[in-house]
Amino acid sequence: MNLGTLLPTVAHCGNGARSYMGRAGVDPHQWYTHGALTELRANTNSRGVAAFTVVPLLALVGRFRWQRKTNKRFGFAGGKTLRRNTPSGRSEDKFCSSRGFDPLQWRLHSEPTRYVTEIGGLITGRTTRRVFPAVLAVTIFSSLVERYHYLQQQDKSLPHFELPVLPFELTAPLLGLLLVFRTDKSYDRYLDVSEAMWTVSGKLRDLFRGLLTNTADESPRATKDVSRACDLIVSFHSWLFKWYFNYNEEEDRSRHETATQKMNILLGRQEQSYLAPTHFQLAISQEINKVPNLNEQQRQGLDFLLVDVTAALTTCDRIIRMPIPLGYTRSTVRFLWVWLSLLPFALVGTVEELTSAKVLLPEDQFEIPIMTFLVALTFLSLEDVAVQIEQPFDVQRFQFRKLADFFEEEASELRQMAKCPRSSTSSTNREPGLERRRFW
């Protein structure tokens, strides 16, 4: 083999993953392309796997419409931003509606009535809407297969197309395992992001509290000594949870740019400069070094909190920039698409023995499309759920925004408490048992 022709081929293998490695925190264009339903059709069409079906035509139409909508969405051709088929996260947001624990949401979540109330999601659910074009394409194709089988029964000169059921029975468990592994890995990413973001929020709370309370001589801290550092911590938390990891094309682009400019001004940088978490962490570290009345051990303890924040943010950066290997994802989609496209050819010989007396009745022409529709809806929905939770910041964006608001409220309350420290003399002059009566 000519080495000169081999090297470009090998170098091209990582181009798909390389497109996720932009410098910005989240590239919504790339993740939307990764999760768009039209990619299911485009991936199949790009290799010509099901060229004998109507799928290539649908893929071309879907790709054209997707490209036109993408150009409008990202300003290449103008137009209003719109994204209808991305994970909303509204249902998860209900569990984070207030700062206190809400047992009502968990009780509603586990009610036995969910078996009835969730049935409507089969029609109106967001996942169903995302996979419906592909499910409809497979269903229409199965109707054409059944119709052709009817015509072949009437005219024996037509070629007979029928597949045995055994290959589908053998490959169905493999297909199920592929989808289960894909969903499991996506959930691992979802769990890692949740743990990392909550760790960031918790560590920044500890850092905020430590600045307000730690002193070398155990005297009350003057809030003005740490006012600048506290402002940076609150701004850092809000920027991370609202903009850096949580930016998507639904948001007004000008709002994102305005927020970045304000943060740069707060850090004393040029408004149009690129903003990264390390810039905030450096500014916070500099302010900690300026805080008076701190011993070396206390400064190191505060610095270790920033180290933990860096480790958690590294996990988030890794997940947002490195999707599940694209070869695995695309191979699963292509195999699923081929499997569903060939399924009607196996069903025509197993549903029933069609006779000339029965195939003439229109009501007997819907068994294969119905079965294909149900199988396709099940498999494609499971695959699409894995794609949705693979990008956890999109699913949890409303929860993260609520956490940022809660953090700002708590920071304001902690500052107010630090300004009015409880004196030791006031507690000694109170009546005995007063504190006991208060708690009881």
Side-chain angles (χ1 to χ4, degrees):
M1 179 180 295
N2 187 1
L3 184 61
T5 60
L6 177 62
L7 290 179
T9 304
V10 175
H12 179 70
C13 294
N15 287 344
R18 188 187 309 166
S19 57
Y20 293 81
M21 296 301 292
R23 194 179 182 190
V26 178
D27 184 2
H29 177 275
Q30 194 56 242
W31 276 106
Y32 186 70
T33 305
H34 176 71
L37 194 58
T38 50
E39 185 167 335
L40 177 67
R41 297 187 288 266
N43 283 336
T44 306
N45 184 44
S46 62
R47 298 294 186 267
V49 177
F52 54 87
T53 69
V54 296
V55 175
L57 179 58
L58 294 174
L60 290 175
V61 175
R63 172 60 70 178
F64 173 76
R65 295 188 61 188
W66 146 246
Q67 188 64 47
R68 184 177 59 180
K69 290 167 61 177
T70 303
N71 290 339
K72 291 183 179 180
R73 182 178 298 110
F74 292 97
F76 301 119
K80 184 178 178 180
T81 59
L82 177 64
R83 191 174 71 168
R84 296 174 296 176
N85 291 327
T86 53
S88 65
R90 293 290 185 183
S91 300
E92 292 81 359
D93 179 50
K94 296 178 182 178
F95 292 87
C96 198
S97 58
S98 63
R99 292 172 61 183
F101 173 71
D102 187 5
L104 176 61
Q105 289 299 330
W106 283 104
R107 187 163 63 249
L108 294 176
H109 178 67
S110 59
E111 282 287 341
T113 55
R114 67 185 184 274
Y115 298 112
V116 178
T117 57
E118 296 298 334
I119 294 179
L122 290 174
I123 302 175
T124 62
R126 184 170 294 268
T127 300
T128 302
R129 296 200 303 268
R130 284 167 57 93
V131 303
F132 182 75
V135 174
L136 181 62
V138 174
T139 305
I140 293 175
F141 177 70
S142 65
S143 300
L144 296 177
V145 171
E146 188 173 35
R147 181 61 181 176
Y148 177 83
H149 187 74
Y150 157 70
L151 296 176
Q152 195 273 334
Q153 291 288 329
Q154 305 301 312
D155 187 359
K156 299 299 183 179
S157 61
L158 294 176
H160 180 68
F161 295 102
E162 185 176 334
L163 295 175
V165 183
L166 182 60
F168 292 89
E169 294 178 347
L170 295 177
T171 56
L174 175 61
L175 179 60
L177 288 176
L178 285 175
L179 295 177
V180 169
F181 290 157
R182 177 74 169 82
T183 307
D184 182 65
K185 292 303 179 183
S186 297
Y187 178 74
D188 288 342
R189 294 166 58 89
Y190 182 93
L191 185 61
D192 290 343
V193 165
S194 299
E195 293 179 352
M197 294 298 284
W198 280 92
T199 298
V200 169
S201 185
K203 295 297 181 181
L204 290 180
R205 281 184 173 88
D206 289 340
L207 181 61
F208 193 92
R209 174 186 52 80
L211 286 173
L212 291 174
T213 57
N214 288 347
T215 55
D217 56 1
E218 299 183 359
S219 61
R221 164 70 66 189
T223 55
K224 64 180 181 180
D225 294 339
V226 295
S227 178
R228 166 72 175 173
C230 291
D231 290 339
L232 288 176
I233 293 174
V234 174
S235 300
F236 181 40
H237 187 280
S238 299
W239 177 73
L240 281 176
F241 281 70
K242 289 184 177 181
W243 297 110
Y244 183 68
F245 289 119
N246 211 359
Y247 171 63
N248 59 75
E249 63 267 24
E250 278 185 350
E251 299 293 339
D252 187 0
R253 188 179 299 272
S254 62
R255 293 177 58 192
H256 179 266
E257 295 176 352
T258 302
T260 303
Q261 292 174 2
K262 290 182 179 180
M263 296 300 105
N264 279 324
I265 295 175
L266 180 64
L267 298 177
R269 306 173 71 238
Q270 296 182 358
E271 294 184 3
Q272 303 300 329
S273 301
Y274 174 77
L275 187 60
T278 52
H279 300 140
F280 265 107
Q281 292 173 288
L282 176 60
I284 294 174
S285 296
Q286 292 174 342
E287 292 299 324
I288 291 176
N289 292 333
K290 298 177 183 178
V291 175
N293 199 14
L294 280 180
N295 57 38
E296 188 63 25
Q297 184 178 4
Q298 290 171 337
R299 294 185 190 276
Q300 289 181 356
L302 296 176
D303 189 67
F304 286 153
L305 292 175
L306 285 178
V307 172
D308 294 337
V309 170
T310 302
L313 290 178
T314 301
T315 300
C316 296
D317 277 332
R318 171 182 59 83
I319 291 177
I320 202 64
R321 298 175 190 273
M322 297 182 63
I324 293 176
L326 301 182
Y328 179 82
T329 301
R330 292 171 178 173
S331 297
T332 303
V333 170
R334 291 162 185 161
F335 175 60
L336 176 61
W337 193 244
V338 172
W339 196 90
L340 292 174
S341 300
L342 296 178
L343 180 62
F345 293 99
L347 294 178
V348 292
T350 59
V351 175
E352 59 179 353
E353 292 295 330
L354 298 178
T355 63
S356 57
K358 299 190 67 175
V359 296
L360 293 177
L361 299 177
E363 58 268 22
D364 292 328
Q365 300 293 315
F366 299 104
E367 296 90 347
I368 294 179
I370 291 176
M371 289 190 295
T372 304
F373 175 84
L374 295 177
V375 173
L377 180 63
T378 301
F379 283 168
L380 293 178
S381 297
L382 183 60
E383 194 276 337
D384 188 72
V385 168
V387 172
Q388 293 183 45
I389 63 177
E390 183 184 0
Q391 213 287 56
F393 297 100
D394 210 8
V395 180
Q396 303 183 77
R397 63 181 182 272
F398 295 110
Q399 292 172 290
F400 290 156
R401 290 173 184 173
K402 290 289 184 62
L403 290 179
D405 295 335
F406 297 161
F407 188 90
E408 294 176 2
E409 295 176 9
E410 292 177 3
S412 178
E413 294 169 356
L414 291 178
R415 281 184 171 183
Q416 190 65 29
M417 291 179 62
K419 288 180 180 179
C420 305
R422 184 178 178 182
S423 61
S424 58
T425 57
S426 61
S427 61
T428 57
N429 294 333
R430 291 177 180 172
E431 299 179 9
L434 179 60
E435 293 298 326
R436 184 180 308 170
R437 286 198 301 270
R438 172 175 294 181
F439 284 105
W440 288 95

